[in-house]
Amino acid sequence: MRFTVWTAGASWRAGAPFFVAATLLVVVVLGLTFGLTSFQAHRTADASIRRGLLERRRGVESFLAGRTRAFAGISRMSAQVPQFRERLLQRSRGDVLDQAEAYRHLLGASWVLVTNERGLLVARTDYPAEFDLDLSRGALIARALSGEQADGPWLDDGAQRLSLAVAIPLRASPDETPQGVLVTAYEVGDTLAQEIKQATGSDVVFFALDTLDRPHVVASTLPREEVGAVLAADTAALRRLQPDSAAVELSAQVAGDHLVGLAGPIRSAGGSVYGGFVLYCSRDAELAMFPALRRSTVVALALGIGLALALARRQPRSPRTTDSPGLPSSHPGAGP
């Protein structure tokens, strides 16, 4: 006699290899998809960061140029006032220093200096004890003595300060030979860096170059020690700022964050690079959404596989017919 026995694991064992193969195939396909997606996401993020930094670099250049134009416009108008000009040219050095200091406060400048017609220093507000220094060999003063308005960086090696200065010829009319030069400047410091960060949304680092073209940080919205070491390591890259079309890209690890930077030069009135600035953007922040998406997808895949396994083990049982020993079997068509 035959008995029908329902087995729970027979169909599972029969289908298990196919299920495992299908699961592995899904995992492989998802792995390849994640790899390609990750590669494309990184390329897209890098391109987006590069475009953003280029736009922000132009913004920084416009910001600095706008402030320089404002200083130049006010100084040019002031130099056209006879009483102001005479106070800078025809009085004693002490009187010139007092007038220069009053003008510095009025303009909101970091410092002001005045030279005579030969380019010799008459007075300088941040170094009041200095005078008679020959400044005529610098491009900024030399151009102003030739009758042209000039602007550019002014590097103070002793104090390791970088300023952006405007030089205005002191003369009664455009046809006359300059009787002296008025220089007004604003310092490139941390306050300026913070203003630029608020305007652009990016961290910025200003640096000056020494006589060996080594950079040192003069202003920064990032920790100076860490970013200073990064710039020192990228000295060779920063030398590429000399060409007009240079777009020097840098990278840094600051406080565990991967930053991508784009450098811009600060040129003297003669065209030489005295320093520059670097705008930094967080690459990790740009890619922040992709790891979260990857984690959620992996969790969903694991839950899907677990659910499939549970459903496979709970599928309907398969019947199996067996003969019982010791009892006669019954066949269709057999007689009594």
Side-chain angles (χ1 to χ4, degrees), residues 69-241:
R69 283 194 300 269
F71 268 58
I74 297 174
S75 296
R76 188 169 55 250
M77 289 188 295
S78 300
Q80 292 173 357
V81 178
Q83 294 84 351
F84 176 76
R85 189 172 61 251
E86 290 171 3
R87 288 172 184 168
L88 295 178
L89 295 174
Q90 299 180 4
R91 294 195 174 193
S92 66
R93 195 181 73 84
D95 292 336
V96 173
L97 184 61
D98 291 341
Q99 179 63 34
E101 182 63 29
Y103 184 64
R104 183 189 72 80
H105 281 290
L106 177 66
L107 186 61
S110 298
W111 52 266
V112 172
L113 70 78
V114 180
T115 76
N116 62 17
E117 72 281 2
R118 293 181 295 165
L120 297 179
L121 178 64
V122 177
R124 179 171 172 174
T125 58
D126 55 337
Y127 292 105
E130 292 185 356
F131 64 97
D132 284 345
L133 298 178
D134 188 0
L135 305 177
S136 62
R137 288 173 290 184
L140 193 73
I141 302 296
R143 287 184 59 181
L145 288 174
S146 68
E148 300 179 35
Q149 175 184 307
D151 61 78
W154 189 289
L155 183 60
D156 188 338
D157 293 323
Q160 291 192 339
R161 293 186 306 174
L162 180 67
S163 302
L164 296 180
V166 176
I168 303 294
L170 293 173
R171 55 186 176 182
S173 69
D175 299 329
E176 294 186 8
T177 301
Q179 298 173 284
V181 175
L182 170 66
V183 178
T184 57
Y186 61 94
E187 183 180 351
V188 179
D190 291 338
T191 301
L192 179 65
Q194 288 294 340
E195 291 178 6
I196 290 176
K197 181 178 180 179
Q198 292 176 3
T200 64
S202 294
D203 284 297
V204 62
V205 178
F206 285 93
F207 63 91
L209 296 175
D210 62 16
T211 55
L212 299 177
D213 286 339
R214 293 175 303 193
H216 62 269
V217 177
V218 296
S220 176
T221 59
L222 295 169
R224 288 200 180 203
E225 295 76 13
E226 294 185 53
V227 77
V230 170
L231 290 182
D234 286 331
T235 299
L238 292 176
R239 290 195 180 103
R240 300 202 304 271
L241 287 173

Side-chain angles (χ1 to χ4, degrees), residues 50-65:
R50 191 175 296 109
R51 288 193 301 269
L53 288 175
L54 282 171
E55 184 64 28
R56 291 168 187 175
R57 189 179 76 166
R58 287 190 287 267
V60 173
E61 292 169 346
S62 298
F63 184 94
L64 297 178

